[in-house]
Amino acid sequence: MAEILAVRDLALGFHTETGQARVLDGVNLTVRPGEIVGLVGESGCGKTTLAGAILGTLPKSITWVSHGSVSLAGADMLAGNGAEEVRGRAVTFIPQDPFASFNPLFRIGTQVMDLMRWKSPRRRPGRRFYSLARRRADRDAVIAMLEAVQLPQPARLLQKYPHELSGGQRQRVMIALALLPEPRLVIADEPTTALDVTVQAQILGVLRRLAVERGVAVLFTTHDLGAAWEICDRIVVMYAGQTAEIAPREEFFTAPRHPYTRLLLRSLPEEGRHPVGIPGNVPSPLAPPPACRFHPRCPRATGICRSQRPVLGGASGHLYACHHPEEGLLDA
Amino acid sequence: MPDAALLETRGLKRHFAVRGLLNRRIGTLRALDGVDLAVEAGEVLGIVGESGCGKSTLGKTIMGIHQPTEGEVRFAGVRVAAPGHPRPKSLRARLQYVYQDPGASLDPSWTLRRSMHEPLVIHTDLSRGQREERIREIIAAVGLPVTHLDLYPHEISGGQQRRIGLARILCLGPRLVILDEPTSGLDVSVQAAVLALFRELRERFGLTYLFISHDLAVVRSMCDRVAVMYLGRVVEIAPAAELFAAPRHPYTRALLAAAPRIGGPRVTENFTLQGEPPDPSEIPAGCRFRGRCPLAAPVCAEEPALDFTGPHGAACWRWREAARLPSAASSS
């Protein structure tokens, strides 16, 4: 099947006052149509930078791409104006903090209709005029979508200001906004970390159901492995800007191969055992360790890990970048 | 509860005025509305609940940051907080409060040694030499080299700052430590290390913890007993193992059902609890959970009290019927 999103061997960084920060170092990632892919990693591993690269929103003046490519629905997101055409239509974004994404001075309805004016699937390219017929059709689509994300009384909700909505309601509106342009890919950047667990369960349920029903692919970045288990079909683990492991959901949680993935899963608190944690810290992108960036913290590291970068290999959809992959099931 | 309890709250209430135009009082936010708790010496009591349920207000009222509106707090049998009751100064060293990031309370322009000496200067009559000796002992206990005392906060990592913050709290020899969301926002690998440190310090110094968190998995691995709060009241309290194995209150059942369980079925597919907690300034009459409860009946128009069998109490009229129903909430 053709991929909707393909990130190939992407390496990029930022020019900073203290030198060049090499944030992404050879990231590989594909998303197929209709698939929910989890992008998991600790803070500072480059998840948000990768999302920015895919959307083409990284600040151009300080970003430097050393190699690799990002192609989304056939458009090259790193060069020229490819990203402008695609962003907001073929790919949309759900932010972590839905409150910061609304203008507090305008009603929800005004902000939603502003989006529809430019990004509605009924808009013909190049047309600036917003006809009454299209406006009506767009409004009906908005109401239907707000109902689909299980917001009660959508017409009244459009009259409200952002502060009158609870966190869960705002995130539902955000999901509706992301799906209204009928995108092929939605990038959700930690959409539930700010929410309570019962609200998280509702939101994840809505997101998964709508994505499956409409055949929309979702790239779901999170540091919460429980949320990844809930919603994803496939999971990609990143460590310090490198892809560590890619595996289908079941296999990822039962038989991971990369030592980092195993340590991460063993760090989860669970009854009857004390979580182990991972000694050391995530390295600074200003001075990353050579070759495999995980080697200073890895219990299985040998000489080759310090001198040679492991390539992403494996079989039948389960890929890992490690010289000394672990075997067998994860002992819980 | 026997009078051996280290900390006890009786009918503790804390209300805040809601003010409108011209600072007129237009309502009351009942953050805490009659909490009876007893913490035994040496135990770890977990307080869980969603945001807005009053768990942080409880910690702060016990600590004396807020004055109670009604009710009292007793520490080791002595009344320490009640409306209009002055707080004994001797208590401050015995009862300590740990914020989300204890390292953030360090003065950036002081060396760590000076920050460490400060609480001892205020609360004790020790000579400089004696203070230094005590500090060295504590610094070693939290796993830092003594040479770090000459550094400034920005020269050490966030994790080490956290350890220094804890060392400052421990050097006064508290008996009860209130931990308010100590792991929220941490990556799992760091979280595991922080929890291990809490366990170690507790054993070494014979501490009692009041552990406030919204993370059920962390509470389960850390606490001896757990109290579940909803809208300013304790709705269920039980030994941790029992609470997680056989929850009684419908709210507890929903809360447990909402938490993702890796390896279990997707909870998003059959999660039933709708809506979000109501605003604590407009608490419904009768049982507070009535509006969202799947078991609500006419009897719920009257507010239930905690109904104990042994150490396990639930504030629900119908928990015995609920316990017989098969529920998605039953966690393995």
Side-chain angles (χ1 to χ4, degrees), chain A residues 99-115:
Chain A
F99 193 55
S101 317
F102 286 108
N103 186 329
L105 300 178
F106 292 91
R107 294 177 197 274
I108 298 283
T110 314
Q111 303 189 42
V112 175
M113 291 314 286
D114 274 351
L115 171 92

Side-chain angles (χ1 to χ4, degrees), chain A residues 6 15 91 95 123 180 275:
Chain A
H15 302 287
V91 59
R123 175 174 179 250
L180 274 168

Side-chain angles (χ1 to χ4, degrees), chain A residues 289-304:
Chain A
C292 174
R293 285 189 176 182
F294 188 55
H295 80 250
R297 301 172 77 187
C298 183
R300 296 170 78 93
T302 58
I304 189 170

Side-chain angles (χ1 to χ4, degrees), chain A residues 42-43 166 196 198 230 232, chain B residues 50-51 187 189 264 266 273 276:
Chain A
E42 295 177 278
S43 34
S166 69
D196 281 319
T198 55
E230 277 301 317
C232 299
Chain B
E50 294 177 280
S51 40
D187 285 316
S189 62
R266 281 185 164 130
L273 186 68
E276 292 173 45

Side-chain angles (χ1 to χ4, degrees), chain A residues 33 38 83 95 105 108 115 133 135 158 162 166 248 286 290 311 315 324-325:
Chain A
L105 300 178
I108 298 283
L115 171 92
R135 196 181 299 236
L158 291 178
S166 69
L286 289 168
V311 289
H324 310 291

Side-chain angles (χ1 to χ4, degrees), chain A residues 227-247:
Chain A
W229 165 263
E230 277 301 317
I231 190 169
C232 299
D233 300 318
R234 212 150 56 89
I235 291 169
V236 178
V237 184
M238 273 175 73
Y239 178 78
Q242 299 180 332
T243 305
E245 185 161 10
I246 302 177

Side-chain angles (χ1 to χ4, degrees), chain A residues 15-91:
Chain A
H15 302 287
T16 67
E17 282 175 14
T18 40
Q20 296 206 325
R22 290 166 43 197
V23 180
L24 298 183
D25 181 27
V27 174
N28 283 286
L29 175 77
T30 57
V31 180
R32 293 188 281 265
E35 188 184 36
I36 303 183
V37 175
L39 180 60
V40 174
E42 295 177 278
S43 34
C45 75
K47 297 189 293 282
T48 305
T49 305
L50 180 59
I54 294 168
L55 290 161
T57 54
L58 295 177
K60 284 216 166 61
S61 55
I62 60 162
T63 309
W64 128 89
V65 179
S66 66
H67 54 86
S69 67
V70 177
S71 91
L72 201 156
D76 181 356
M77 300 299 279
L78 292 177
N81 289 332
E84 298 288 322
E85 300 291 320
V86 176
R87 188 167 60 229
R89 288 297 315 275
V91 59

